[in-house]
């Protein structure tokens, strides 16, 4: 064992320990009661910074850090352009917590980039068209849609949308968002300039041959009275349908029946084709039955459901062989006994015909033609009976199969420079008895007869209409089984009502030609979280078309012209060029208000007068899908890059020439705005360099905000947490007013990439975190006297604790910057909270209060602590500023005055590497291990009633053994640190060979650190209490301890 120099027995290390005072006004009262003259000599913290406050209520702070700051940075920033493109929320209703989370997360990112000196472009926007606003207006006016003209609806809808924008804007302002909220710096999809840009994008897509019109089945929402795109659907996994097994009668006179089928059914009066469907209301539109040519089918004689044992009646049914085990398990469907009659290939069923299922109800049934059995690979053995009822007006697969077989005519065409013709025969050939309200029309009489049709006309096909169909099937003996069937079914995402598939004439964007380019463009896009890439790519790969037309009046028009004599639609480059020139002159609203003749180009007028043109032409009334509206928003960023003075890209890792650096929205926007931006940008690109370039560099998605129990927030559950109530308080017991910074702090602590919880408990936790951060800031401000510390010490003068804190500060600075860069805001807050609560409050403040309060004001020891605290406050303020801007401004105003510029006007520069001190961290970790052991002994003494204040105790350390002198040297070198570190009045260090005194009480333990074994003893303080500093360092006959006496005399 190495020998080491003995310290004199009982040596007291000379550092003055921590002061036991509480600070601010509480301390002053205690001292006044004890000894006023000594209390008056202490340097207690003084600050105007309150422990509890909502600085956002101060309009000077609020304006300084929001609108004024945005305008200042746009004018003065010298760094590269940073474009954050705002996805427009829908202008309807008050903000919910999802809105607040979204805008606050965006603000974190913008403020961080602004603090680096970047020129931030952020224009808040609103989505203003569409059905919800139409419905809200009609509800408020108390009228049905038919009671107002389209022009009146548009007027009222615009008023409503602008009112909602103003309301939401005011609420967004209260979140502390850095933005210019003036009309010039925000956007609305109803703005005429915006609509014209959108129409320009649409025109470019028409000219590239991507837009076409077709009469065919699409998802249609009766509740919205409009066609829907796939992106507007949500799927209900618990939807209940009433499925039916029904019998279609094979026509024995089928001219093209195969010899095999004819032989197997010869002599059989009635042969049934067993069919299963979950949409019995579509049976009136049946046009074929599909079978799989590769599958085997059974022909069997079965007893009918409900037949008695004595009843010999049998029926002949045909069904897929592979489905028989499942079908036999359905009670009453294939009742025993069952007699097999034969097996047949699906290909031998093809060509035969069958009678319309409702023919028995029709008085002209003999004139109704038989319908074909057709081949199709979409028939599988996974469900049903292996025979599929085809209603091409109500099924996309049915339509595709029958069209490919030439059984229905195609009505689609694509045009760039010629008119798009719509064949009237195609629509007529499709059998459809359902209107835009989702109700049966009078045309159903063509199938069921006039008398029976009265039971169906005007009935909802998803309600009473479907029940009437089931009743009719029962009456004619075609129903074999009715079952409740729970399955996944599409719903309208706006109304949360089920949709139907309905053949209508719609405009589509062909995505087949651009989706591969779209996927390729995404390879250059960063995704946060990374897994969200798969979601967006899968949505794009699965789409071949986009239904972009809607049957609404409040929206951007699809400017198609319809030539009535030829029943053709015209939408080409020539017509759009002329139409756009008219709309630029008179405004987009003129499409609705002006005459058709104003929009027909000269090339199609044929020298006719306006009156003659108006008689032959009409304007289209369809509006564009609102996703096309918001998806066109990337185009408004083009002007940024046209000005070299603001579009600097130097210093950026990923340089851009158009579009945005970052977009952030909820995860539902993978099927919405993220996708529509990409598709419209690539679809309208005329520059080959942009044809495979996404309009954004980074896509960030966040989850839904749930209540504290993980449930979706809803009015019915009464668990909605309003962001405005969080800020201003409410009437409920738990609805405290927390202010915007606590709400923002919550947003910074959640893992936003997945669903997150919000409620009273979480808000209280965030408020407590906020209180601790404020308290740490307040202590430093009080110590500095609410002004920057000027008489700073040199780094060489700093002690171990000082260097250790600056080392930890450097880590905070580095970790926070990395967290902001990676959008990992919880990392920032966790590191900040740890630093404020542990490194500062529990350590640095604690060991230095005595120094700050009781040492000479200009003493070196006090100056070096204030030097550290000044730097700590500066860096902490920069770290917390993007998340807690009002607090940062309040700290800054306290230090520099209320009229000082925003804290964000000075750049956040990295701390120098000289702050990194691994040796200081290593040495302090050793001392902190000793401290933990001492604290445990002090706690035992406190529980036994020997100690009230730790200052009434001393600590004796004996070296029992040492493999090296490292720990011994450290203890000797840091003699001025130990008493403050332990919070006691005296520390002695001695060799194990020195005899120990026997105190009145003591608590002992041992500790091994890197080969050195220490014996620790906590015992009563050897000296008396000093009335000025309260440490037990005063000799019995002295008035004060030596340190205090020297300070007071000075």
């Amino acid at each position: 064992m190495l020998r080491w120099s003995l310290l004199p027995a009982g040596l007291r290390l000379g550092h003055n320990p921590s002061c036991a005072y509480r600070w601010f006004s509480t301390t002053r009262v205690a001292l006044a009661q004890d000894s006023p003259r000594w209390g008056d000599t202490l340097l207690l913290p003084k600050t105007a910074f309150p422990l509890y406050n909502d600085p956002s209520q101060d309009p000077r702070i609020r304006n300084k850090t929001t609108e004024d700051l945005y305008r200042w940075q746009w004018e003065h920033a010298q760094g590269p352009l940073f474009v954050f493109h705002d996805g427009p929320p829908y202008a309807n209703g008050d903000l919910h917590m999802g809105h607040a989370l979204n805008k606050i997360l965006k603000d974190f990112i913008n403020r961080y980039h602004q603090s680096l000196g970047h020129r931030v472009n952020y224009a808040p926007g609103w989505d203003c068209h569409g059905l919800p606003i139409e419905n809200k207006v009609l509800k408020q006016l108390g009228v049905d849609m038919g009671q107002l003209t389209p022009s009146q609806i548009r007027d009222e809808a615009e008023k409503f949308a602008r009112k909602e924008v103003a309301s939401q804007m005011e609420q967004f302002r209260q979140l502390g968002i850095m933005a210019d909220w003036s009309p010039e710096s925000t956007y609305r999809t109803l703005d005429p300039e915006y609509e014209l840009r959108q129409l320009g994008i649409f025109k470019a897509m028409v000219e590239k041959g991507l837009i076409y019109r077709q009469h065919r089945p699409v998802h249609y929402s009766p509740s919205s009275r409009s066609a829907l795109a796939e992106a507007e659907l949500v799927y209900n996994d618990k939807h209940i349908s009433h499925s039916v097994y029904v019998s279609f009668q094979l026509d024995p006179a089928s001219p093209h029946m195969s010899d095999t089928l004819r032989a197997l059914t010869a002599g059989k009066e009635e042969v049934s084709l067993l069919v299963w469907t979950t949409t019995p209301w579509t049976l009136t539109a049946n046009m074929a039955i599909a079978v799989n040519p590769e599958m085997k089918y059974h022909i069997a004689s079965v007893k009918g459901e409900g037949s008695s044992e004595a009843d010999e009646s049998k029926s002949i049914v045909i069904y897929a062989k592979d489905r028989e085990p499942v079908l036999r398990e359905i009670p009453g469907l294939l009742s025993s006994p069952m007699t097999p009659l034969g097996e047949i290939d699906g290909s031998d069923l093809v060509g035969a015909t069958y009678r319309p299922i409702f023919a028995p109800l029709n008085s002209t049934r003999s004139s109704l033609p038989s319908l074909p059995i057709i081949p199709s690979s979409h028939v599988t053995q996974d469900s049903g009976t292996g025979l599929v009822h085809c209603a091409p007006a109500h099924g996309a697969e049915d339509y595709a199969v029958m069209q490919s077989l030439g059984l229905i005519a195609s009505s689609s065409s694509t045009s760039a420079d010629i008119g798009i013709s719509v064949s009237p025969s195609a629509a007529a050939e499709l059998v459809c008895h359902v209107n835009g309200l989702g109700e049966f029309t009078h045309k159903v009489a063509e199938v069921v007869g006039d008398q029976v049709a009265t039971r169906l006309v005007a009935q909802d096909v998803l309600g009473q209409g479907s029940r009437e169909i089931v009743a009719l099937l029962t009456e004619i003996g075609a129903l074999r089984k009715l079952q409740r069937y729970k399955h996944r079914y599409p719903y309208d995402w706006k109304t949360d009502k089920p949709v139907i598939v309905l053949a209508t004439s719609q405009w589509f964007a062909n995505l087949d030609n651009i989706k591969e380019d779209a996927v390729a463009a995404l390879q250059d896009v960063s995704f946060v979280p990374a897994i969200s890439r798969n979601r967006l790519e899968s949505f794009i790969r699965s789409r071949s078309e986009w239904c972009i037309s809607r049957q609404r009046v409040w929206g951007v028009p699809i400017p198609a012209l319809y030539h009535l004599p030829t029943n053709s639609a015209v939408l080409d480059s020539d017509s759009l060029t002329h139409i756009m020139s008219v709309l630029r002159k008179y405004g987009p609203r003129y499409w609705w208000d002006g005459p058709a003749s104003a929009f027909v180009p000269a090339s199609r007028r044929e020298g006719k007068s306006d009156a003659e043109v108006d008689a032959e032409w009409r304007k289209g009334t369809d509006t564009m899908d609102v996703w096309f509206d918001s998806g066109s928003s990337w185009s408004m960023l083009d002007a940024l890059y046209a000005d070299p003075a603001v579009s600097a890209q130097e210093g950026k890792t990923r340089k851009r020439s158009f579009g945005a650096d970052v977009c952030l929205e909820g995860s539902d926007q993978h099927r919405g705005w993220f996708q529509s931006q990409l598709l419209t940008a690539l679809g309208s690109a005329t520059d080959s360099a942009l044809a495979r370039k996404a309009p954004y560099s980074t896509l960030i998605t966040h989850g839904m905000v749930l209540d504290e129990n993980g449930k979706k927030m809803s009015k019915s559950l009464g668990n909605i947490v309003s962001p405005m109530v969080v800020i201003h308080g409410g009437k409920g017991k738990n609805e405290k007013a927390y202010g915007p910074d606590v709400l923002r702090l919550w947003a910074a602590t959640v893992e936003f990439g997945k669903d997150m919880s919000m409620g009273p408990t979480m808000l209280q936790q965030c408020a407590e975190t906020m209180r601790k951060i404020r308290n740490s800031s307040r202590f430093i401000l009080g110590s500095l006297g609410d002004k920057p510390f000027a008489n700073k010490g040199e780094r060489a003068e700093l002690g171990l604790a000082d260097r250790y804190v600056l080392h930890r500060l450097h880590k905070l600075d580095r970790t926070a910057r990395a967290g902001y860069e990676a959008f990992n805001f919880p990392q920032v807050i966790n590191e900040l909270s740890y630093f404020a609560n542990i490194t500062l409050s529990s350590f640095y403040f604690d060991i230095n209060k005595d120094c700050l309060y009781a040492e000479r004001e200009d003493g070196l020891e006090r100056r070096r602590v204030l030097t550290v605290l000044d730097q700590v406050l500066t860096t902490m303020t920069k770290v917390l500023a993007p998340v807690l801007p009002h607090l940062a401004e309040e700290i800054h105003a306290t230090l520099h005055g209320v009229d000082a510029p925003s804290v964000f006007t000075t750049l956040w520069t990295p701390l120098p590497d000289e702050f990194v001190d691994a040796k200081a961290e290593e040495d302090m970790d050793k001392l902190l291990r000793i401290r933990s052991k001492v604290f445990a002994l002090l706690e035992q003494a406190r529980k036994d009633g020997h100690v009230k204040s730790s200052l009434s105790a001393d600590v004796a350390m004996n070296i029992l053994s040492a493999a090296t002198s490292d720990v011994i040297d450290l203890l000797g070198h840091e003699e001025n640190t130990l008493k403050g570190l332990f919070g006691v009045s005296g520390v002695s260090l001695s060799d194990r060979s020195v005899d120990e005194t026997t105190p009145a009480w003591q608590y002992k333990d041992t500790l091994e650190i890197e080969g050195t074994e220490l014996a620790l003893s906590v015992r009563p303080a050897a000296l008396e209490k000093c009335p000025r500093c309260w440490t037990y360092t005063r000799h019995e006959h002295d008035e004060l301890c030596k340190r205090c006496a020297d300070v007071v005399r000075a």
Side-chain angles (χ1 to χ4, degrees):
M1 183 177 71
L2 296 177
R3 299 292 297 169
W4 54 283
S5 300
L6 291 176
L7 296 173
L11 173 68
R12 298 198 173 275
L13 306 181
H15 176 69
N16 291 299
S18 297
C19 180
Y21 304 130
R22 290 181 307 196
W23 57 301
F24 295 105
S25 59
T26 306
T27 303
R28 290 183 179 276
V29 172
L31 287 170
Q33 294 173 345
D34 203 13
S35 179
R37 66 189 185 93
W38 301 133
D40 291 343
T41 68
L42 294 174
L43 299 170
L44 299 180
K46 297 178 182 179
T47 180
F49 188 87
L51 179 56
Y52 297 100
N53 189 37
D54 178 8
S56 70
Q57 297 300 309
D58 186 337
R60 293 172 299 181
I61 286 180
R62 184 174 61 248
N63 295 334
K64 182 188 296 184
T65 200
T66 53
E67 294 185 62
D68 292 349
L69 174 60
Y70 183 86
R71 297 188 186 104
W72 180 91
Q73 64 88 29
W74 187 251
E75 294 174 4
H76 295 89
Q78 301 298 311
L81 176 67
F82 175 77
V83 180
F84 199 124
H85 187 30
D86 188 40
Y90 198 66
N92 182 19
D94 290 330
L95 302 189
H96 54 66
M97 198 55 72
H99 287 122
L101 173 74
N102 180 274
K103 275 292 192 291
I104 290 171
L105 292 176
K106 293 172 180 176
D107 197 53
F108 293 165
I109 299 168
N110 283 337
R111 286 182 181 273
Y112 170 67
H113 280 273
Q114 186 280 324
S115 70
L116 300 182
H118 299 171
R119 177 180 273 113
V120 174
N121 177 269
Y122 177 68
W126 280 269
D127 195 354
C128 300
H129 293 128
L131 175 74
I133 289 178
E134 275 192 39
N135 286 345
K136 203 67 170 282
V137 165
L138 295 174
K139 183 178 180 180
Q140 287 184 353
L141 296 176
V143 298
D144 292 327
M145 189 171 182
Q147 295 176 265
L148 296 177
T149 66
S151 181
Q152 288 173 318
I153 294 175
R154 280 188 283 272
D155 288 341
E156 293 299 324
E158 181 172 354
K159 291 178 187 176
F160 177 86
R162 291 192 180 278
K163 178 182 176 183
E164 292 299 293
V165 167
S167 173
Q168 290 188 1
M169 182 186 294
E170 180 56 33
Q171 294 175 62
F172 280 134
R173 277 177 159 148
Q174 296 175 54
L175 301 176
I177 307 302
M178 182 187 70
D180 181 351
W181 298 98
S182 64
E184 298 77 21
S185 297
T186 55
Y187 74 95
R188 292 142 294 275
T189 59
L190 57 73
D191 292 338
E193 320 83 65
Y194 187 99
E195 293 182 341
L196 287 171
R197 281 196 303 270
Q198 177 178 335
L199 288 168
I201 290 172
F202 180 74
K203 177 175 180 287
M205 293 178 70
V206 169
E207 291 171 342
K208 292 179 68 173
L210 297 177
I211 306 298
Y212 63 94
R213 183 171 172 82
Q214 193 174 51
H215 184 88
R216 66 172 192 72
V218 295
H219 285 108
Y220 187 91
S221 172
S223 57
S224 294
R225 301 185 188 181
S226 181
L228 300 180
E230 178 66 31
E232 295 173 292
L233 303 176
V234 294
Y235 286 85
N236 184 343
D237 292 323
K238 298 181 180 180
H239 180 82
I240 301 294
S241 293
H242 287 84
S243 65
V244 294
Y245 289 87
V246 295
S247 296
F248 286 81
Q249 298 304 312
L250 187 69
D251 184 356
S254 301
H256 302 295
M257 183 185 295
S258 69
D259 293 339
T260 304
L261 179 59
R262 195 177 298 279
L264 286 171
T265 58
K268 310 295 189 299
E269 291 186 4
E270 290 188 357
V271 178
S272 300
L273 303 169
L274 185 61
V275 169
W276 174 72
T277 180
T278 61
T279 53
W281 59 271
T282 65
L283 288 169
T284 66
N286 174 264
M287 294 181 70
I289 289 176
V291 297
N292 191 319
E294 306 299 323
M295 288 170 55
K296 299 288 186 180
Y297 290 81
H298 272 177
I299 301 177
S301 174
V302 300
K303 181 195 284 189
E305 182 178 6
S307 300
S308 66
E309 289 295 327
D311 189 354
E312 297 297 325
S313 64
K314 300 276 187 175
S315 62
I316 310 300
V317 295
I318 300 177
Y319 54 87
K321 173 184 176 181
D322 290 333
R323 295 297 299 164
E324 182 173 311
V326 176
L327 298 175
R328 293 191 63 150
E329 291 180 2
I330 299 173
L333 182 60
L334 298 178
S335 302
S336 298
M338 185 177 72
T339 306
L341 299 180
E343 184 175 296
I344 189 172
D345 291 332
S347 57
D348 286 326
L349 292 173
V350 174
T353 58
Y354 62 93
R355 298 297 296 150
I357 196 168
F358 293 109
L361 298 173
N362 199 315
S363 60
T364 61
R365 56 182 174 271
S366 59
S367 63
L368 295 175
S370 293
L371 302 171
I373 299 176
I374 62 174
S376 176
S377 60
H378 85 284
V379 180
T380 70
Q381 59 188 19
D382 297 329
S383 63
T385 66
L387 295 97
V388 174
H389 140 66
C390 293
H394 303 296
E397 287 182 313
D398 301 349
Y399 179 88
V401 169
M402 295 191 69
Q403 186 185 62
S404 68
L405 295 173
L407 298 175
I408 54 175
S410 171
S411 65
S412 69
S413 62
T414 308
S415 172
D417 295 307
I418 61 173
I420 301 178
S421 298
V422 180
S423 169
S425 63
E429 289 178 4
L430 278 179
V431 177
C432 183
H433 310 126
V434 180
N435 61 19
L437 300 176
E439 300 171 348
F440 281 114
T441 69
H442 67 278
K443 289 184 179 181
V444 75
E446 298 171 359
V447 174
V448 300
D450 293 333
Q451 184 175 354
V452 174
T454 59
R455 295 167 58 179
L456 297 176
V457 174
Q459 296 294 337
D460 176 11
V461 298
L462 293 176
Q464 186 58 32
S466 187
R467 288 188 281 273
E468 287 292 342
I469 290 293
V470 171
L472 293 177
L473 292 169
T474 303
E475 292 170 17
I476 62 177
L479 181 67
R480 298 190 70 93
K481 190 68 181 180
L482 173 66
Q483 284 186 319
R484 283 171 57 85
Y485 178 65
K486 184 167 75 172
H487 62 131
R488 194 167 186 258
Y489 192 86
Y491 275 54
D492 183 336
W493 81 304
K494 289 283 190 184
T495 64
D496 199 30
K497 297 290 180 64
V499 305
I500 61 177
V501 176
L502 183 67
T504 59
S505 293
Q506 302 292 341
W507 291 97
F508 298 87
N510 182 358
L511 305 181
D512 281 331
N513 295 335
I514 62 173
K515 65 181 181 181
E516 290 306 319
D517 286 344
V519 172
L522 292 179
Q523 305 316 301
D524 294 326
V525 176
S526 298
F527 286 79
V528 179
I531 196 172
S532 60
R533 172 188 299 278
N534 298 335
R535 182 174 169 85
L536 181 54
E537 288 186 1
S538 65
F539 277 131
I540 292 174
R541 291 185 191 279
S542 65
R543 295 185 74 178
S544 294
E545 62 188 12
W546 174 6
C547 180
I548 60 172
S549 53
R550 298 292 181 270
Q551 289 66 58
R552 310 307 310 168
V553 300
W554 176 230
V556 177
I558 293 181
L561 297 168
Y562 294 86
H563 189 233
L564 302 180
T566 60
N567 190 31
S568 63
V570 173
L571 186 68
D572 58 30
S573 181
D574 179 46
S575 68
L576 287 175
T577 298
H578 174 70
I579 290 168
M580 291 292 290
S581 68
V582 174
L583 297 182
R584 287 191 188 96
K585 182 176 181 180
Y586 297 104
R589 182 69 181 267
Y590 192 63
W591 174 262
W592 308 114
D593 300 334
S597 56
F599 299 100
V600 178
S603 61
R604 294 185 179 271
R605 292 177 66 98
E606 299 176 344
K608 295 179 181 178
S609 66
D610 286 348
E612 291 173 317
V613 171
D614 285 332
E616 291 187 359
W617 293 83
R618 72 172 177 86
K619 298 171 296 176
T621 57
D622 287 345
T623 57
M624 288 191 203
D625 175 15
V626 291
W627 289 121
F628 203 107
D629 290 14
S630 59
S632 303
S633 60
W634 58 267
S635 62
M636 71 181 189
L637 303 175
D638 288 350
L640 289 173
Y641 298 93
D643 184 357
V646 301
S647 61
Q649 299 289 305
E650 290 77 12
K652 290 175 66 172
T653 304
R654 305 172 72 178
K655 297 177 173 58
R656 296 203 61 87
S657 59
F658 89 113
D661 291 292
V662 176
C663 294
L664 180 153
E665 298 300 330
S667 56
D668 57 336
Q669 297 308 316
H670 290 120
R671 65 165 59 224
W673 187 62
F674 291 159
Q675 191 176 156
S676 63
Q677 273 198 94
L678 181 63
L679 297 176
T680 54
L682 271 60
S684 63
T686 55
D687 184 341
S688 59
L690 299 179
R692 293 170 70 96
K693 191 171 182 61
Y696 33 66
S697 293
T698 299
L699 288 184
I700 308 172
T701 52
H702 61 77
M704 292 178 57
V705 181
L706 310 175
D707 72 4
E708 283 191 329
N709 298 315
K711 294 181 179 179
K712 183 179 179 180
M713 292 188 186
S714 69
K715 291 182 180 178
S716 61
L717 294 177
N719 61 349
I720 292 178
V721 180
S722 163
M724 295 300 104
V725 170
V726 171
I727 293 173
H728 303 294
K731 299 178 180 179
K733 180 175 65 175
N734 294 322
E735 294 180 337
K736 301 177 182 178
Y738 289 104
D741 274 3
V742 170
L743 179 59
R744 294 173 65 98
L745 185 58
W746 165 81
T749 59
V750 296
E751 294 184 39
F752 67 79
K754 54 187 178 183
D755 292 348
M756 65 222 81
S757 297
M758 152 65 82
T761 302
M762 297 196 71
L763 286 170
Q764 290 170 9
Q765 292 170 349
C766 289
E768 178 62 15
T769 300
M770 179 74 154
R771 185 192 67 80
K772 291 178 178 178
I773 294 173
R774 283 191 66 92
N775 205 22
S776 295
S777 303
R778 183 172 181 249
F779 181 86
I780 299 175
L781 286 167
S783 300
L784 295 174
D786 287 351
K787 59 181 180 294
F789 185 60
N791 191 18
K792 294 183 172 63
E794 298 296 329
R795 178 167 179 79
E797 299 173 331
L798 300 180
L800 173 61
D802 308 319
R803 290 183 285 110
Y804 170 73
V805 168
L806 291 179
H807 175 81
R808 295 288 309 183
L809 184 67
H810 187 279
K811 180 183 178 184
L812 167 64
D813 184 78
R814 185 179 66 251
T815 302
R817 293 170 72 93
Y820 282 122
E821 286 286 348
F823 316 109
N824 187 349
F825 309 120
Q827 174 179 302
V828 177
I829 298 304
N830 290 340
E831 191 69 23
L832 175 64
S833 297
Y834 182 90
F835 185 82
N837 300 336
I838 306 302
T839 306
L840 293 182
S841 293
S842 297
F843 171 66
Y844 198 64
F845 293 169
D846 189 57
I847 70 173
N848 283 307
K849 283 180 182 177
D850 177 78
C851 168
L852 290 169
Y853 299 173
E855 287 288 348
R856 288 178 51 185
E857 184 171 9
D858 59 350
L860 173 61
E861 191 170 357
R862 192 171 187 277
R863 283 196 303 110
R864 70 187 189 189
V865 174
L866 292 177
T867 298
V868 172
L869 292 182
D870 184 87
Q871 181 61 63
V872 163
L873 187 61
T874 298
T875 300
M876 272 185 59
T877 305
K878 286 298 183 184
V879 168
L880 64 85
V883 173
L884 306 173
H886 302 99
L887 173 59
E889 296 288 7
E890 185 184 13
I891 293 170
H892 190 71
T894 303
L895 272 178
H896 301 282
V898 293
D899 295 326
S902 167
V903 65
F904 288 92
T905 60
T906 56
L907 298 186
W908 180 6
T909 56
L911 290 180
D913 289 341
E914 66 183 27
F915 279 41
V916 177
D917 195 332
K919 186 65 168 63
E921 183 175 41
E922 178 185 347
D923 288 346
M924 187 55 68
D925 285 346
K926 296 173 185 176
L927 298 184
L928 290 174
R929 285 186 60 193
I930 303 174
R931 187 191 199 213
S932 296
K933 186 69 72 172
V934 169
F935 278 8
L937 295 175
L938 286 169
E939 184 60 28
Q940 292 179 37
R942 187 175 286 110
K943 287 181 179 179
D944 292 342
H946 294 302
V947 169
K948 290 184 179 180
S949 166
S950 62
L951 290 175
S952 65
D954 283 350
V955 172
M957 292 192 297
N958 293 333
I959 308 299
L960 300 180
S961 64
T964 69
S965 64
D966 292 350
V967 174
I968 300 170
D969 293 343
L970 173 63
L971 294 173
H973 187 266
E974 296 302 326
E975 57 179 312
N976 293 330
T977 304
L978 293 179
K979 285 188 289 185
L981 187 65
F982 298 159
V984 296
S985 289
V987 175
S988 64
L989 179 64
S990 65
D991 182 78
R992 59 188 173 90
S993 63
V994 179
D995 293 333
E996 298 183 8
T997 59
T998 304
W1001 54 264
Q1002 69 175 336
Y1003 293 85
K1004 303 170 69 175
D1005 204 347
T1006 60
L1007 175 67
E1008 189 275 327
I1009 299 179
E1010 297 187 359
T1012 298
E1013 188 174 8
L1014 300 175
L1016 303 177
S1017 172
V1018 171
R1019 55 184 64 187
L1023 299 180
E1024 303 299 320
K1025 183 177 181 180
C1026 174
R1028 180 175 182 268
C1029 68
W1030 289 9
T1031 63
Y1032 287 72
T1033 54
R1034 178 180 65 85
H1035 290 281
E1036 183 178 359
H1037 300 294
D1038 293 340
E1039 187 175 18
L1040 298 173
C1041 69
K1042 184 178 185 305
R1043 186 272 310 271
C1044 286
D1046 291 342
V1047 171
V1048 170
R1049 280 196 299 270

